[in-house]
Amino acid sequence: AVNYHDPSTPLLRSWFSDGGITSNFPIHRFDSILPRWPTIGINLQSTDETGTPQRLRLRTKEKGNFVYLTANRSAGTLDLWNMFDRERSGKSGRFGPDGRKLIGFLGSVFDSAQSWHDNAFLKLPSYRDRVAEIWLKPEEGGMNLNMSSETIKSLVERGRQAGKEATERFASLDKSDAMSWEGHRWARFRSGMPGYLEAAHELVEASRVGSPDCSSLHDLLSRLNVPPTYTFRNEQQRAAAEALTEKLLAFLKEAKNASRVCKDPADNRSGPFCDGPNPNVEYGSRPHF
């Protein structure tokens, strides 16, 4: 990379690493309020030291099946916890029980920084229904670089099963089924619109008056070169931007019910999108609970 800060060292060595450091499962990058095609994800999860997955359904009705896909709209909303401090049987190892807990805690801090954002999305409506989970035993995946051929074949079969179940859901289910592609698009729209309208509501409220010692949005749009940053190219562009913004704000002010924010329990049903899937999706790529 070019070193613009120190001419005596014109080039800097750049190291690249896996993008999972910042987002380990960025499925939210492949979506919209009303998606035109499905995006299907396969998420790897780790069992405990005994090889038991956290999902109750995999431990009871489907014992031995390590592929999980939500069966209905209410499934998949529970948190999956990193239980690093759980007591384990056997010798404590060279770090001792307290040392292992400290190492486990530090590892969980890194996992949270890496995956919290992704995991929050996986609990949202129309996100969790398109992600198949493959649960890995302690000797599978990760840093287990010496897996046997039988173990690898088992993982391949689990991946084939996960992909088959996820794609057949959207390709085969009838439109009337809540878990169908039609149901997925509808749930995404119903859960996304409240967040979008909340952002629109905030724009309307902020445009009415200026902040302390600041001009209103109307005053800013009426000038070509003040403030002297991100200026319009010419008067025609400025006038078009002003006209478009005024039309947008006028429309949002008219749609009072639609732009109403549904935070007051007493007004829960006052707007057309207030009584929708929960939690809502906040407009701007952040999950909102």
Side-chain angles (χ1 to χ4, degrees), residues 5-280:
H5 303 285
D6 186 3
S8 65
T9 308
L11 295 177
L12 296 174
R13 178 177 294 178
S14 298
W15 291 84
F16 291 83
S17 186
D18 191 294
I21 293 176
T22 57
S23 182
N24 207 34
F25 196 73
I27 196 169
H28 63 281
R29 295 296 183 185
F30 303 88
D31 212 342
S32 64
I33 288 183
L34 189 64
R36 292 183 292 165
W37 52 79
T39 302
I40 295 170
I42 295 179
N43 196 19
L44 303 180
Q45 299 284 4
S46 298
T47 63
D48 63 16
E49 68 276 6
T50 67
T52 303
Q54 289 191 49
R55 297 292 187 191
L56 180 62
R57 196 180 80 197
L58 300 185
R59 302 203 308 266
T60 55
K61 296 181 181 178
E62 301 179 21
K63 192 172 183 178
N65 181 359
F66 284 83
V67 174
Y68 176 85
L69 195 66
T70 54
N72 51 59
R73 284 288 165 200
S74 60
T77 61
L78 299 180
D79 288 300
L80 297 175
W81 298 98
N82 186 336
M83 293 175 281
F84 65 89
D85 58 345
R86 182 163 48 188
E87 293 295 334
R88 293 175 172 83
S89 59
K91 297 181 179 180
S92 61
R94 66 180 193 144
F95 294 108
D98 293 334
R100 281 192 293 101
K101 289 180 180 180
L102 176 60
I103 293 174
F105 174 73
L106 295 177
S108 297
V109 170
F110 175 79
D111 289 342
S112 297
Q114 179 189 47
S115 302
W116 178 88
H117 189 255
D118 303 325
N119 293 337
F121 267 104
L122 292 178
K123 294 171 59 179
L124 298 177
S126 79
Y127 280 81
R128 58 181 182 263
D129 63 339
R130 59 186 171 131
V131 175
E133 295 176 358
I134 296 180
W135 286 81
L136 303 177
K137 299 177 183 179
E139 67 274 13
E140 297 173 335
M143 297 303 295
N144 294 297
L145 304 180
N146 296 318
M147 292 183 291
S148 65
S149 58
E150 290 76 16
T151 299
I152 295 175
K153 289 179 181 177
S154 174
L155 292 178
V156 171
E157 175 56 28
R158 250 176 273 175
R160 186 199 65 80
Q161 179 187 346
K164 183 173 182 291
E165 291 184 16
T167 52
E168 285 185 348
R169 159 168 290 180
F170 293 147
S172 304
L173 292 180
D174 186 79
K175 289 183 177 181
S176 61
D177 195 303
M179 305 304 292
S180 66
W181 170 233
E182 187 95 332
H184 172 82
R185 295 180 75 237
W186 179 241
R188 183 71 178 96
F189 175 74
R190 290 284 280 112
S191 63
M193 280 301 291
Y196 177 81
L197 292 172
E198 182 175 337
H201 177 83
E202 292 174 355
L203 174 61
V204 171
E205 291 299 307
S207 67
R208 293 179 178 178
V209 294
S211 301
D213 298 324
C214 292
S215 303
S216 67
L217 180 59
H218 175 77
D219 291 336
L220 289 173
L221 286 168
S222 65
R223 299 175 294 189
L224 180 60
N225 295 318
V226 180
T229 179
Y230 299 107
T231 57
F232 295 111
R233 291 193 302 269
N234 48 53
E235 175 59 25
Q236 290 74 20
Q237 186 189 29
R238 185 211 62 78
E242 181 182 26
L244 179 60
T245 304
E246 293 298 336
K247 287 181 180 179
L248 175 61
L249 293 175
F251 168 77
L252 293 175
K253 290 175 184 177
E254 285 184 19
K256 291 182 180 180
N257 286 334
S259 62
R260 192 180 188 90
V261 182
C262 312
K263 291 183 177 179
D264 187 351
D267 296 333
N268 189 41
R269 297 180 183 273
S270 61
F273 291 103
C274 290
D275 190 20
N278 206 14
N280 299 326

